[in-house]
Amino acid sequence: MKVLHVNAGNEYGGGLFHILSIFQGVSQLEMDLLVFEDGPVAEMARKNGINVFILPQKSRYDLSILSRLKSFINDREYTILHTHGPRANLLISLTKKRLAARWVMTVHSDPTLDFNDRGIKGRIFEVLNLRTIRKPDQVIAVSSEIKEILVSSGVPSDNVSVVHNGRNFNLNHSKINKNSNLFNIITVGRLEWVKGHRYLIQALSKIKQTNWTLTICGTGQEESDLKKLADELDLSDKINLLGWVEGTEVSKQIAQADVMVLPSLSESFPLVALEAGEHHIPVIATDVGDIGEMIPNKSVGWLVQKASSDELAAALEEACTDWELDTLEQKGERFYKWSSQFTIEKQGLETMKVYKQCMDQKK
């Protein structure tokens, strides 16, 4: 079995690290990576010893790439194509009939929300994406909620497998000296409306504690609006927007935090929450996707309703009180023990099962 992973190449955040975790968890197969632009994904691949090919497009709408794409895949005799992201999905769908390989697609997020804030063009992309997700031989959904959305969008249930993200919990992290005078909060994710950052900033304006600081790792279309909101609420001096931060630096930032907050309106099974667990950092998250499996009860973290700055504020106040009482680290330890069941080895085994199902369909 010879596998080619395909991604546009401009992926940031969880999608990028999902690809990396598959290469780490399925090390027994011959696997390559193909991208359409030399960006963060190719850079990540090179740093981690992944064999990466770049097949450049003149623009993201350039379909002249299709003949080169067909030749690239067929000449190298790949047996499985594994796509990640709408552009890669669309390009493979347009050339699928001329390919000998079987096709597996991972859907990382709710396809009905991926283009929700992009006007008429976004609506067109959404329609194309929803049509495309019905075409692969097998689909991997990273949460049960995503599977339900896919099935309701016309994907046969038997063709969809839920494979949760995983982390390498065998890594030894050195102890970080934190700023003991400030309650350090971190959130990591694209600055897009679906990630719900505005609710977190609004929540911080409501809490009674004032000895806190928020670090935001990520970039996106909402950056200027979030800065404006922070100014309006007189919180700018407490909020650090770091922009896009590379993996090792993100890890350092997480290790320095006392709590992570994920205020998303839609989520699947976020790798960044597992990374917090890896560092023994508890998480406050909205109850979306399969996060409830990651945070099953209040002994390991907090689940709040999405789009509720009031519930976020209440959870932040509780976490800050635990920090003041020196009991927050105990919750972080419990979260580490619970979340460490979601390993890249488990993710790799479950991905291998999907590949086998895909090949068995061909017989």
Side-chain angles (χ1 to χ4, degrees):
M1 195 181 296
K2 187 177 180 182
V3 182
L4 178 67
H5 292 264
V6 187
N7 178 257
N10 60 348
E11 185 79 55
Y12 285 95
L16 184 154
F17 296 110
H18 174 92
I19 295 170
L20 174 59
S21 67
I22 292 179
F23 273 86
Q24 292 172 333
V26 192
S27 57
Q28 65 269 47
L29 291 183
E30 182 181 354
M31 297 200 301
D32 297 326
L33 174 64
L34 174 68
V35 297
F36 303 121
E37 57 185 84
D38 193 357
V41 177
E43 183 179 354
M44 173 275 296
R46 287 189 286 263
K47 286 182 178 178
N48 288 275
I50 295 170
N51 194 28
V52 59
F53 297 94
I54 300 170
L55 200 63
Q57 287 179 284
K58 297 173 184 176
S59 74
R60 64 180 58 202
Y61 309 110
D62 172 26
L63 298 183
S64 68
I65 194 176
L66 293 178
S67 61
R68 289 182 289 136
L69 181 61
K70 175 190 74 74
S71 298
F72 180 92
I73 293 168
N74 287 340
D75 290 351
R76 286 167 176 78
E77 299 181 338
Y78 291 105
T79 51
I80 294 282
L81 303 177
H82 190 158
T83 60
H84 309 264
R87 195 187 342 168
N89 297 340
L90 177 61
L91 291 174
I92 293 299
S93 75
L94 292 175
T95 193
K96 180 178 184 287
K97 291 182 180 179
R98 297 183 289 164
L99 300 175
R102 305 291 285 172
W103 180 17
V104 175
M105 174 195 294
T106 290
V107 179
H108 300 263
S109 56
D110 184 346
T112 67
L113 297 177
D114 284 342
F115 303 101
N116 204 52
D117 57 344
R118 302 186 189 181
I120 295 174
K121 186 182 291 186
R123 178 57 184 159
I124 294 170
F125 288 157
E126 180 185 321
V127 171
L128 286 173
N129 194 33
L130 288 171
R131 288 178 181 174
T132 301
I133 61 176
R134 304 184 189 116
K135 297 182 179 181
D137 300 296
Q138 287 287 318
V139 180
I140 292 174
V142 293
S143 74
S144 300
E145 181 182 69
I146 297 296
K147 177 174 180 176
E148 291 175 7
I149 292 166
L150 294 174
V151 172
S152 68
S153 299
V155 182
S157 180
D158 290 345
N159 285 3
V160 185
S161 301
V162 176
V163 178
H164 288 140
N165 290 324
R167 289 287 300 180
N168 184 358
F169 286 88
N170 297 321
L171 299 176
N172 292 316
H173 296 288
S174 56
K175 198 73 174 176
I176 298 291
N177 292 322
K178 301 178 182 180
N179 185 341
S180 58
N181 297 318
L182 289 173
F183 180 51
N184 296 288
I185 306 162
I186 190 168
T187 187
V188 181
R190 294 174 291 114
L191 303 187
E192 307 291 346
W193 75 273
V194 74
K195 293 299 184 179
H197 292 93
R198 60 194 176 281
Y199 297 104
L200 172 56
I201 294 174
Q202 290 167 356
L204 288 167
S205 72
K206 299 177 180 183
I207 66 175
K208 61 179 181 289
Q209 293 94 339
T210 59
N211 57 333
W212 57 265
T213 182
L214 169 65
T215 297
I216 301 177
C217 299
T219 186
Q221 297 184 71
E222 289 242 310
E223 184 170 350
S224 60
D225 289 341
L226 294 174
K227 287 180 178 177
K228 182 179 178 182
L229 178 60
D231 286 338
E232 291 172 353
L233 296 174
D234 197 26
L235 298 177
S236 296
D237 60 334
K238 293 177 174 290
I239 298 175
N240 304 309
L241 285 106
L242 298 186
W244 163 246
V245 181
E246 291 188 3
T248 53
E249 182 58 32
V250 168
S251 188
K252 290 178 183 177
Q253 293 293 333
I254 293 173
Q256 291 170 355
D258 296 298
V259 70
M260 174 179 284
V261 182
L262 297 178
S264 302
L265 305 181
S266 176
E267 202 54 85
S268 50
F269 200 77
L271 269 168
V272 71
L274 293 181
E275 188 167 2
E278 190 181 316
H279 287 282
H280 303 223
I281 307 298
V283 174
I284 299 169
T286 47
D287 190 6
V288 293
D290 283 0
I291 296 181
E293 294 187 38
M294 199 183 294
I295 306 175
N297 56 63
K298 208 168 181 180
S299 72
V300 297
W302 292 264
L303 281 182
V304 301
Q305 290 298 309
K306 66 180 181 180
S308 174
S309 58
D310 288 339
E311 288 201 20
L312 274 173
L316 282 161
E317 287 190 343
E318 285 186 22
C320 191
T321 298
D322 287 347
W323 170 74
E324 291 168 343
L325 297 172
D326 289 328
T327 57
L328 188 61
E329 286 189 3
Q330 296 172 18
K331 184 163 286 193
E333 291 296 323
R334 291 192 293 270
F335 181 50
Y336 165 75
K337 290 177 182 177
W338 175 260
S339 62
S340 60
Q341 68 181 288
F342 302 109
T343 64
I344 59 170
E345 291 82 8
K346 182 179 179 182
Q347 180 187 4
L349 287 172
E350 292 176 354
T351 301
M352 284 284 291
K353 288 180 183 177
V354 176
Y355 291 167
K356 187 176 184 304
Q357 288 172 352
C358 198
M359 295 305 297
D360 287 345
Q361 282 180 331
K362 190 176 181 179
K363 297 175 181 178

